[in-house]
Amino acid sequence: MRLLVLGTGVMAKNQLARFPLIDGVTVVGAVDTDPERLSAFADKFNIEKRFLSLEEAIAWGEFDAATNVTPDRIHHPTTMALIAAGKHVFCEKPLAENYAKALEMTEAAEKAGVINMVNLTYRNVAPLQRAREMVLAGELGTIRHVEASYLQSWLVSRAWGDWRTESTWLWRLSTGHGSNGVLGDVGIHILDFAAYGAATDIDHVFARLKTFNKAPGGQIGEYLLDANDSFTMSVDFANGALGVIHASRWATGHLNELKLRIYGERGSLEVIHRPTGSELHGCLGEDVETATWTKIEVEPVATNYERFAEAVASGVQPDPNFRHAANLQKVLDLAMVTERERRELKV
């Protein structure tokens, strides 16, 4: 697979730590509108072909697939151009700013017959994959209740940088700079974490969003700090279970933690993912009577990067695809409506 990198920011660097290690994958070009950033990136990863626009890269055309690591609002136009050129696309999340655009991208990719995949990175968490397998195998019985959280602390900690002075973080707090807040940033991750792990889809949603005052006048320089910082969400799942999902950037003591608990009639599972690693715990069988939780060992799983490369080689569409990401975006869009209208909505 000859791969083009579209966008050369932080996530592109993370991806280039993985893609070149896969047999048969060669990174053949990079695109960025910032010539200095493009040059530094291409030099670092020994990429010969460099383009200041996607149009230039498509005109060159000597690539099979592209990884789209542009800012969220740029995903739609650039992905549509790549699909029109017949290129396979690996797109960062969220797929688009809203469901309408995400659906347009989905239908275009499906009509063109190109491999399409969204980088929901927590699919790489082996304990999540194992939890899903156990749910599907019926080891927990009927699922009754699900709770999931995504906790970050970068509004109270400088571990990742100082949001008060760094544009990398400030834009994420401002709707005028393209942010839909914590809901738009990590909402798709925790919705997928919950629904995928519990092996079901979200059927109804009701959400509350909260923006806290963070600076005098709620503004720093050109950035109006009006994007949501925390959200809580109650959902009904298609399998009949009730769910509680929440996320916050004010979770002091949690740098970047995802947690999922799945409660069934015959047992329960807990998945925890932190920067230091991931774990799966279960309360099953006779342990249900004593509420005893045991760590469950799991084997490593193929990464999204590996599965995308394999799909391009085989022509077999992998998951999570554009349609899955578009359906999650629909839930996120409806969540914002429920906040305004204070009522539950069916997905």
Side-chain angles (χ1 to χ4, degrees):
M1 179 178 73
R2 299 170 300 171
L3 183 68
L4 178 79
V5 181
L6 177 59
T8 60
V10 173
M11 195 60 205
K13 294 182 178 68
N14 291 341
Q15 289 196 15
L16 264 290
R18 299 292 191 91
F19 268 124
L21 301 179
I22 302 172
D23 287 344
V25 174
T26 304
V27 179
V28 295
V31 183
D32 201 300
T33 56
D34 184 323
E36 291 185 5
R37 185 169 57 205
L38 173 62
S39 180
F41 180 86
D43 287 346
K44 178 179 176 64
F45 295 103
N46 299 312
I47 302 171
E48 180 181 355
K49 289 292 184 178
R50 308 166 187 202
F51 305 94
L52 291 174
S53 73
L54 178 58
E55 291 76 14
E56 292 177 28
I58 289 176
W60 170 63
E62 298 299 315
F63 61 100
D64 307 302
T67 178
N68 192 338
V69 208
T70 58
D72 297 354
R73 61 174 52 175
I74 309 300
H75 288 176
H76 175 267
T78 51
T79 295
M80 292 298 288
L82 288 164
I83 292 171
K87 306 301 182 182
H88 308 294
V89 184
F90 184 81
C91 189
E92 271 301 321
K93 63 81 195 168
L95 183 57
E97 293 178 276
N98 56 56
Y99 174 66
K101 289 183 177 180
L103 183 60
E104 183 182 1
M105 295 160 71
T106 299
E107 292 177 343
E110 291 176 351
K111 183 177 180 180
V114 297
I115 298 298
N116 57 93
M117 190 171 177
V118 176
N119 190 24
L120 295 172
T121 52
Y122 297 107
R123 291 289 185 96
N124 302 333
V125 175
L128 179 69
Q129 296 284 354
R130 179 64 183 132
R132 177 181 172 86
E133 290 174 359
M134 294 175 71
V135 170
L136 288 172
E139 295 184 44
L140 276 66
T142 302
I143 306 302
R144 296 301 191 193
H145 191 85
V146 177
E147 54 178 307
S149 61
Y150 195 140
L151 304 178
Q152 296 180 325
S153 59
W154 59 265
L155 284 174
V156 291
S157 166
R158 292 180 174 84
W160 289 11
D162 190 345
W163 62 267
R164 298 168 185 83
T165 60
E166 299 177 19
S167 60
T168 299
W169 303 106
L170 274 171
W171 81 265
R172 298 174 185 270
L173 305 175
S174 176
T175 60
H177 287 76
S179 175
N180 283 325
V182 70
L183 180 70
D185 189 18
V186 305
I188 192 169
H189 277 314
I190 195 60
L191 290 182
D192 185 63
F193 206 74
Y196 184 76
T200 185
D201 294 317
I202 294 172
D203 193 56
H204 287 77
V205 60
F206 178 72
R208 292 298 310 275
L209 313 178
K210 186 77 171 182
T211 304
F212 297 94
N213 184 45
K214 295 176 284 295
Q219 189 164 351
I220 295 178
E222 64 180 284
Y223 298 92
L224 180 63
L225 310 181
D226 60 343
N228 59 85
D229 302 320
S230 297
F231 76 78
T232 60
M233 187 183 294
S234 61
V235 302
D236 287 338
F237 288 100
N239 65 2
L242 183 67
V244 180
I245 301 171
H246 68 102
S248 181
R249 293 165 169 165
W250 290 98
T252 306
H254 299 274
L255 290 180
N256 193 67
E257 178 187 278
L258 291 85
K259 182 179 290 186
L260 171 64
R261 285 178 173 169
I262 308 167
Y263 301 105
E265 289 183 314
R266 294 169 48 196
S268 299
L269 294 173
E270 177 185 67
V271 181
I272 303 176
H273 175 76
R274 302 185 179 98
T276 53
S278 311
E279 292 184 354
L280 174 63
H281 300 92
C283 181
L284 303 161
E286 295 182 358
D287 287 342
V288 170
E289 301 300 331
T290 57
T292 300
W293 290 77
T294 303
K295 183 177 179 179
I296 300 172
E297 298 298 331
V298 297
E299 296 296 322
V301 296
T303 66
N304 288 342
Y305 313 109
E306 292 168 326
R307 292 191 297 111
F308 178 70
E310 180 181 351
V312 170
S314 67
V316 178
Q317 175 62 50
D319 186 57
N321 58 21
F322 280 14
R323 186 163 291 278
H324 175 75
N327 290 339
L328 290 178
Q329 189 62 48
K330 185 178 183 181
V331 177
L332 295 175
D333 288 2
L334 289 175
M336 299 187 79
V337 177
T338 68
E339 160 66 15
R340 292 195 300 269
E341 300 183 359
R342 293 292 197 270
R343 66 186 180 95
E344 179 184 75
L345 290 174
K346 178 174 175 57
V347 176

